[in-house]
Amino acid sequence: MNASKGMNDQPRNPLHGVTLEAIVRELEAYFGWEELGHQIPIRCFTHDPSVNSSLKFLRKTPWAREKVEGLYLFMLREKRRQEGLPQ
């Protein structure tokens, strides 16, 4: 294995290099807080939602972060499909 190649070399991973904050902001812009709360019923999306409260919770809660990342990947696929781009 080449020493310059490592775990940071993930060209096909759509989550690589994307911050949790960017994911939450993009999901909120795409779905809105109300729909986010329906998709992933966690309190930080349903009760007085904000990016900061969501980040605080998601950074401490791996199962919720996984759900958010999964929804983000779904959103990316939907956007590509709507734009007619290959998956």
Side-chain angles (χ1 to χ4, degrees):
M1 183 167 144
N2 187 337
S4 66
K5 298 240 182 217
M7 292 181 70
N8 290 336
D9 188 23
Q10 301 179 31
R12 305 239 346 129
N13 180 354
L15 293 174
H16 181 68
V18 182
T19 65
L20 184 58
E21 180 176 357
I23 290 171
V24 171
R25 288 186 185 281
E26 200 165 340
L27 286 172
E28 191 274 326
Y30 186 79
F31 291 106
W33 289 118
E34 187 173 344
E35 182 58 26
L36 259 179
H38 288 297
Q39 294 284 333
I40 305 172
I42 52 178
R43 193 167 174 82
C44 65
F45 291 163
T46 60
H47 294 78
D48 195 23
S50 72
V51 172
N52 286 339
S53 68
S54 299
L55 291 174
K56 189 173 183 179
F57 176 75
L58 294 170
R59 286 182 178 132
K60 293 191 234 174
T61 317
W63 64 264
R65 182 179 181 142
E66 287 177 20
K67 287 183 178 290
V68 167
E69 288 171 348
L71 185 60
Y72 179 73
L73 293 174
F74 170 80
M75 179 202 69
L76 291 179
R77 285 190 303 271
E78 285 297 301
K79 281 183 161 183
R80 283 195 190 103
R81 200 171 55 107
Q82 291 167 2
E83 295 169 358
L85 297 174
Q87 303 290 319

